[in-house]
Coordinates of all heavy atoms in Angstrom, one line a residue:
V307 N -11.2 3.5 4.0 CA -10.8 3.0 5.3 C -10.4 1.5 5.1 O -11.2 0.6 4.8 CB -11.8 3.1 6.4 CG1 -11.4 2.5 7.7 CG2 -12.4 4.5 6.6
G339 N 0.5 25.8 -5.4 CA 1.6 24.8 -5.0 C 1.3 24.0 -3.7 O 1.7 22.9 -3.7
A345 N -0.3 15.6 -2.3 CA -0.2 14.4 -2.7 C 1.0 13.7 -2.2 O 2.0 14.5 -1.9 CB -0.2 14.2 -4.4
P349 N 8.7 9.0 -5.0 CA 8.9 8.8 -6.5 C 7.8 7.7 -6.9 O 7.5 7.7 -8.1 CB 10.4 8.2 -6.5 CG 11.0 8.8 -5.3 CD 9.9 8.9 -4.2
W370 N -4.2 -3.7 -26.0 CA -3.1 -4.4 -26.5 C -3.4 -5.4 -27.6 O -2.7 -6.3 -28.1 CB -2.4 -5.3 -25.4 CG -1.6 -4.4 -24.4 CD1 -0.8 -3.4 -24.8 CD2 -1.6 -4.6 -23.0 NE1 -0.3 -2.8 -23.6 CE2 -0.8 -3.5 -22.4 CE3 -2.3 -5.4 -22.1 CZ2 -0.6 -3.3 -21.1 CZ3 -2.0 -5.2 -20.7 CH2 -1.1 -4.2 -20.3
G382 N 11.5 -22.1 -31.7 CA 11.4 -23.1 -32.8 C 9.9 -23.3 -33.3 O 9.7 -23.7 -34.4
G496 N 2.2 -15.6 3.8 CA 1.1 -16.5 4.4 C 0.4 -17.2 3.3 O 0.2 -16.6 2.3
Y531 N -1.3 -29.1 16.4 CA -0.5 -30.0 17.1 C -1.3 -30.8 18.1 O -1.1 -32.0 18.4 CB 0.7 -29.4 17.7 CG 1.8 -28.8 16.8 CD1 2.5 -27.8 17.0 CD2 2.0 -29.6 15.5 CE1 3.5 -27.3 16.1 CE2 2.9 -29.1 14.6 CZ 3.7 -28.0 14.9 OH 4.6 -27.5 14.0
K594 N 1.4 -6.8 17.7 CA 0.2 -7.5 18.2 C -0.1 -8.7 17.2 O -0.9 -9.6 17.7 CB -1.0 -6.8 18.6 CG -1.6 -6.1 17.5 CD -2.8 -5.2 18.0 CE -3.5 -4.4 16.8 NZ -4.6 -3.7 17.4
P603 N 14.1 -23.7 7.5 CA 14.9 -24.9 6.9 C 14.3 -25.3 5.6 O 14.8 -26.2 4.9 CB 14.7 -25.9 8.0 CG 13.5 -25.5 8.8 CD 13.4 -24.0 8.7
L607 N 11.2 -24.1 -1.1 CA 9.9 -23.3 -1.4 C 10.3 -22.0 -2.2 O 9.5 -21.5 -2.9 CB 9.2 -22.9 -0.1 CG 8.6 -24.1 0.7 CD1 7.9 -23.6 1.9 CD2 7.5 -24.7 -0.2
G677 N 12.7 0.8 -16.2 CA 12.1 -0.2 -16.7 C 10.5 -0.2 -16.6 O 10.0 0.9 -16.2
E699 N -17.4 4.4 -4.9 CA -17.3 5.8 -4.6 C -17.3 6.6 -5.8 O -17.4 7.9 -5.8 CB -16.0 6.1 -3.9 CG -15.8 5.6 -2.4 CD -16.9 6.2 -1.5 OE1 -17.1 7.5 -1.8 OE2 -17.4 5.7 -0.6
A702 N -13.9 5.6 -12.0 CA -14.1 4.9 -13.2 C -12.9 5.0 -14.1 O -12.1 5.9 -13.9 CB -15.4 5.5 -13.9

Side-chain angles (χ1 to χ4, degrees):
V307 179
W370 291 316
Y531 294 149
K594 63 182 179 181
L607 294 177
E699 289 292 329

